[in-house]
């Protein structure tokens, strides 16, 4: 039996402080996933990371994790990965916006498939969602459960509730629209920087008073571990270290770093300027993490979003 094989009766390795788990992680080699893997290993947990390529497998080996070959559409491998673990963190998502509705369905099926394996057990299952659409236009809090938005078909939270009803200790982490930090190549700030460079101006929509929330990826990774170790079924946690930053402030910081003008774009011209990203450029999505901090004793300690921008993380 290898170190990730599970006996018929689950046995946790315990210390006086906490329970050590074997954790199956999807998205284990992504921007956030790599931080989650290191956070878990540093805390003494064992990690089994999902890898679909040789390069991803090598990243896991280098990090000190074990490899589980497969991807989010390989349901048999998802089942076997979940079956061999004491808990699961689902941080994977196929970021292909050309087939967004399809990959949202892949995400939903993956969650339900893993959940069926974990049914009627005490094994935690942490599922990833976002804060941006929880309560647009007003401060989002953890107790708000938004209905599924047909215009945004990602159903991670609804799938989490489905598997919780099967007796799974499933909880949701809602991440900020900006999860920032070194090595962020595909997030929302890199998108804004790319558009600013192409257009020669760092822009915001209207008065730029719409607000984003943000979290450093290392603080987000710490939250995933705390949630894994302490989650209750149906819980929602907010990965929001900064609850409200205006997009104008973000645009000004980017403009300063790139040494280009900063300007307003009229709402009716936003689609032309920002392209497919215009909706996110205009969204107002402040989010509190008060309940998360109180329930998990989560205390973000890493640099703020503007600090990362001002330190050249996105413009080197």
């Amino acid at each position: 039996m290898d170190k990730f094989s599970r006996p018929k009766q689950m046995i946790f390795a315990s210390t006086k402080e906490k329970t050590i788990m074997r954790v199956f992680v999807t998205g284990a080699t992504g921007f956030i996933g790599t931080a989650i893997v290191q956070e878990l290993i540093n805390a003494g947990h064992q990690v089994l990371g999902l890898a679909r390529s040789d390069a991803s497998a090598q990243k896991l080996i280098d990090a000190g994790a074990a490899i589980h070959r497969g991807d989010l559409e390989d349901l048999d491998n998802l089942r076997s990965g979940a079956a061999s673990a004491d808990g699961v963190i689902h941080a994977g998502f196929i970021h292909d916006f050309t087939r967004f509705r399809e990959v949202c369905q892949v995400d939903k099926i993956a969650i339900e498939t893993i959940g069926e394996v974990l049914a009627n057990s005490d094994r935690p299952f942490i599922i990833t969602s976002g804060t941006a659409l929880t309560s647009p236009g007003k401060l989002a809090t953890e107790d708000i459960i938004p209905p599924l938005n047909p215009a945004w078909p990602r159903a991670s939270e609804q799938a989490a509730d489905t598997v919780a009803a099967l007796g799974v200790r499933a909880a949701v982490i809602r991440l900020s629209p900006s999860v920032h930090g070194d090595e962020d190549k595909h997030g929302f700030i890199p998108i804004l920087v790319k558009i600013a460079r192409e257009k020669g101006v760092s822009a915001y929509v209207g008065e730029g008073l719409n607000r984003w929330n943000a979290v450093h990826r290392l603080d987000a990774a710490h939250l995933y571990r705390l949630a894994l170790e302490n989650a209750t079924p149906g819980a929602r946690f907010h990965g929001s270290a900064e609850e409200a930053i205006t997009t104008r402030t973000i645009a000004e910081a980017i403009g300063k770093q790139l040494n280009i003008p900063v300007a307003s774009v009229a709402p009716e011209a936003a689609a032309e300027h920002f392209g497919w990203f215009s909706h996110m450029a205009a969204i107002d999505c402040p989010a509190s993490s008060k309940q998360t901090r109180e329930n998990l004793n989560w205390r973000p300690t890493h640099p703020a979003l503007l600090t990362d921008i001002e330190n050249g993380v996105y413009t080197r």
Side-chain angles (χ1 to χ4, degrees):
M1 181 181 294
D2 64 45
K3 68 177 181 177
F4 287 106
S5 295
R6 291 180 56 80
K8 291 183 179 179
Q9 295 296 320
M10 181 173 62
I11 300 175
F12 292 127
S14 297
T15 68
K16 290 182 179 179
E17 292 79 22
K18 64 183 179 183
T19 297
I20 301 303
M21 288 181 271
R22 298 179 290 260
V23 187
F24 178 45
V25 181
T26 71
T29 59
F31 173 63
I32 300 169
T34 52
I36 293 171
V37 168
Q38 203 59 64
E39 171 76 22
L40 293 171
I41 290 173
N42 290 346
H45 297 297
Q46 298 175 338
V47 174
L48 178 63
L50 187 66
R52 64 177 179 175
S53 69
D54 291 341
S56 293
Q58 189 60 53
K59 286 179 71 172
L60 289 169
I61 292 170
D62 293 343
I67 304 161
H68 189 75
R69 294 302 291 256
D71 58 43
L72 294 179
E73 296 178 89
D74 187 340
L75 300 185
D76 285 340
N77 272 337
L78 289 183
R79 291 186 186 98
S80 62
S84 69
D86 300 320
V88 179
I89 291 177
H90 177 51
F93 189 79
I94 302 171
H95 293 278
D96 183 351
F97 289 95
T98 65
R99 56 186 188 112
F100 188 59
R101 189 169 296 276
E102 177 186 345
V103 298
C104 286
Q105 184 66 12
V106 169
D107 179 60
K108 176 177 180 290
I109 293 171
I111 293 168
E112 292 173 349
T113 298
I114 293 170
E116 289 170 0
V117 175
L118 303 180
N120 298 313
S121 76
D122 192 44
R123 288 179 279 171
F125 184 15
I126 309 303
I127 294 155
T128 304
S129 182
T131 61
L133 296 179
T134 299
S135 183
K138 63 180 182 179
L139 187 69
T141 56
E142 294 89 337
D143 56 303
I144 296 174
I145 309 296
L148 182 63
N149 183 350
W152 185 264
R154 187 169 180 178
S156 308
E157 293 198 31
Q158 289 75 18
D161 290 338
T162 296
V163 301
L166 299 176
V168 180
R169 188 149 60 96
V172 171
I173 288 181
R174 294 171 176 160
L175 290 175
S176 296
S178 178
V179 181
H180 58 91
D182 289 320
E183 305 303 322
D184 182 7
K185 305 298 183 185
H186 305 291
F188 287 175
I189 299 301
I191 291 170
L192 288 175
V193 170
K194 181 176 184 291
I195 293 171
R197 281 181 163 142
E198 291 174 348
K199 302 287 186 177
V201 59
S202 181
Y204 53 88
V205 178
E207 296 182 1
L209 298 181
N210 57 301
R211 300 153 293 177
W212 285 7
N213 60 92
V215 65
H216 193 282
R217 73 170 185 139
L218 297 181
D219 287 320
H222 184 53
L223 176 58
Y224 273 93
R225 177 172 69 81
L226 292 176
L228 181 82
E229 294 171 350
N230 300 282
T232 56
R236 261 69 170 179
F237 302 115
H238 279 188
S240 170
E242 300 174 87
E243 69 178 33
I245 312 165
T246 66
T247 55
R248 178 171 181 166
T249 302
I250 294 170
E252 289 171 344
I254 292 171
K256 182 178 180 181
Q257 287 300 305
L258 294 178
N259 195 28
I260 59 175
V262 179
S264 168
V265 170
E268 58 270 22
E272 179 181 354
H273 183 88
F274 291 101
W276 68 269
F277 194 67
S278 59
H279 176 72
M280 283 307 307
I283 197 169
D284 185 37
C285 59
S288 168
S289 60
K290 182 174 183 292
Q291 295 173 35
T292 297
R293 294 174 192 242
E294 291 175 351
N295 292 335
L296 296 180
N297 195 30
W298 180 56
R299 299 290 182 266
T301 60
H302 290 89
L305 173 59
L306 293 182
T307 300
D308 270 354
I309 296 174
E310 291 163 358
N311 286 341
V313 167
Y314 293 96
T315 51
R316 290 171 187 151

